[in-house]
Amino acid sequence: MNTGFIGIGNMGKHMAGHILDAGYNLAVNDLRKEAAVPLLEKGAKWCDTPGEVAAASRVVFTSLPTPASVEDVVYGRNGLRTGWKEGDIYIDMSTNSPSLIRRIARDAGAIGVAVLDAPVSGGTKGAEAGTLVIMVGGDPDSLQKVRGVLETMGKKIFPVGDAGCGNVAKLANNLISLACNSISAEGFALGIKAGINPQVLWDIITVSTGNNWCLQQYHNTTFKGNFEPGFRVDLAYKDIGLALDLGKEYGVPLPVGVTVQKDLQNTMMEGFSDKGVDAVILPLENVTGVPVRLDE
Ligand code: NAD
């Protein structure tokens, strides 16, 4: 099967690598050609535009930062639309707006192209290990056709409904996980400032009711002072904004989500937009004067 991948970033470089390693032909594109070099060295074919990727492939994947970038890749000059052929399948694996996915699905469907949204959870570690959770919205027959390719990236594949529903599931997940991220930072800033050893607090909370996935990453991130992404603050801010938009669309009040959005905004205003999402603790550390670190 000829496949294509657009968006060779922190996630996409691993995901595209797995497709290639599994033996599929792979055409690739990114705004930064240098990002694709390791894939090209392993046999991927470079295309100058998304339209060329679509023309060379039956199945195209994208992993792009924002709805605006997905819109550009699909509808822009030399976008995917210019290369699509009847029977092609397009799978957007970005965290994206459900309403944009529905619009793309309608437009692509009119020319016989199936659209799935398949956002992922598991972070860059899950992408690298090929253990992502994949939430898929769209036609089950099309999912069946591409399931083998998706399985190179993760075995936990959940069909969740029509196109757009993959992102509904993903935005609900990130609303929860980003709230855990912010409140874990607050709990640790408080506990350490008030005199508890960080390792002791971590040992207690990870076997108590405050346990969560974000805390479980602390030995690789906060405790080491390692705030390199991973999952960037600006992308988390995008995700919480998409969740709040969905709340407005469906009349669901999300007051905790609004607070988390403010927390991420504050972190960005302190200059940490391109840091990993655990960096929400840095403005707090500036206030307390006590870094949440383990002694080397
Ligand atoms: P990233 O910014 O590292 O990568 C995005 C890539 O897309 C970059 O290489 C960029 O050059 C490219 N790009 C942007 N606009 C483009 C365009 N118009 N045409 C071609 N290429 C373009 O982002 P990432 O961390 O890899 O995340 C990708 C998606 O996955 C996002 O939607 C994010 O929310 C989601 N996600 C990320 C993580 C994570 O841990 N990083 C986890 C789950 C989901």
Side-chain angles (χ1 to χ4, degrees):
M1 188 192 288
N2 286 342
T3 64
F5 204 105
I6 301 169
I8 316 294
N10 288 328
M11 296 294 284
K13 66 182 175 191
H14 300 300
M15 294 152 77
H18 291 308
I19 299 176
L20 204 52
D21 290 344
Y24 293 97
N25 295 325
L26 186 72
V28 294
N29 169 263
D30 193 284
L31 289 179
R32 305 169 301 128
K33 188 172 180 182
E34 68 276 14
V37 168
L39 297 172
L40 302 181
E41 285 171 356
K42 286 205 287 183
K45 169 184 150 62
W46 174 256
C47 292
D48 284 329
T49 67
E52 278 180 37
V53 174
S57 316
R58 293 305 280 173
V59 179
V60 174
F61 300 86
T62 51
S63 176
L64 293 160
T66 59
S69 58
V70 174
E71 200 168 6
D72 187 40
V73 161
V74 173
Y75 293 104
R77 196 162 164 267
N78 302 317
L80 287 175
R81 275 211 308 187
T82 63
W84 272 336
K85 310 158 293 300
E86 193 175 345
D88 285 356
I89 303 177
Y90 168 47
I91 302 119
D92 179 34
M93 303 190 76
S94 324
T95 306
N96 196 356
S97 146
S99 59
L100 175 60
I101 288 293
R102 289 181 187 128
R103 172 155 74 91
I104 295 171
R106 267 195 312 275
D107 293 343
I111 55 168
V113 174
V115 174
L116 304 174
D117 63 324
V120 299
S121 183
T124 48
K125 284 212 171 65
E128 187 170 8
T131 57
L132 291 169
V133 175
I134 307 177
M135 315 157 212
V136 188
D139 165 44
D141 290 343
S142 302
L143 169 57
Q144 202 45 40
K145 288 183 190 150
V146 300
R147 186 175 263 275
V149 192
L150 288 175
E151 281 177 349
T152 68
M153 303 177 236
K155 300 286 185 287
K156 291 179 184 153
I157 298 174
F158 293 91
V160 279
D162 295 337
C165 288
N167 274 287
V168 173
K170 172 66 179 168
L171 294 175
N173 177 76
N174 279 24
L175 182 68
I176 295 168
S177 72
L178 290 170
C180 288
N181 183 57
S182 285
I183 204 68
S184 297
E186 290 189 8
F188 269 72
L190 174 68
I192 279 66
K193 175 71 176 177
I196 303 196
N197 173 282
Q199 180 66 58
V200 172
L201 190 61
W202 190 89
D203 288 343
I204 294 167
I205 295 182
T206 53
V207 294
S208 298
T209 50
N211 188 23
N212 66 74
W213 190 88
C214 306
L215 266 190
Q216 288 160 17
Q217 315 310 308
Y218 266 31
H219 282 92
N220 292 321
T221 57
T222 305
F223 283 165
K224 277 184 166 171
N226 172 19
F227 297 103
E228 290 314 306
F231 182 42
R232 287 196 312 270
V233 171
D234 64 340
L235 292 180
Y237 180 69
K238 175 254 316 190
D239 288 2
I240 205 83
L242 289 172
L244 294 179
D245 288 348
L246 198 62
K248 273 190 207 131
E249 191 180 338
Y250 285 87
V252 182
L254 303 170
V256 176
V258 171
T259 303
V260 174
Q261 185 184 46
K262 282 190 190 140
D263 191 35
L264 290 163
Q265 196 171 43
N266 184 40
T267 307
M268 292 171 75
M269 285 164 64
E270 297 277 328
F272 302 124
S273 300
D274 61 352
K275 297 293 179 198
V277 74
D278 306 75
V280 293
I281 205 165
L282 294 175
L284 278 169
E285 290 180 352
N286 287 342
V287 173
T288 61
V290 182
V292 177
R293 303 285 177 276
L294 290 188
D295 295 333
E296 288 301 315

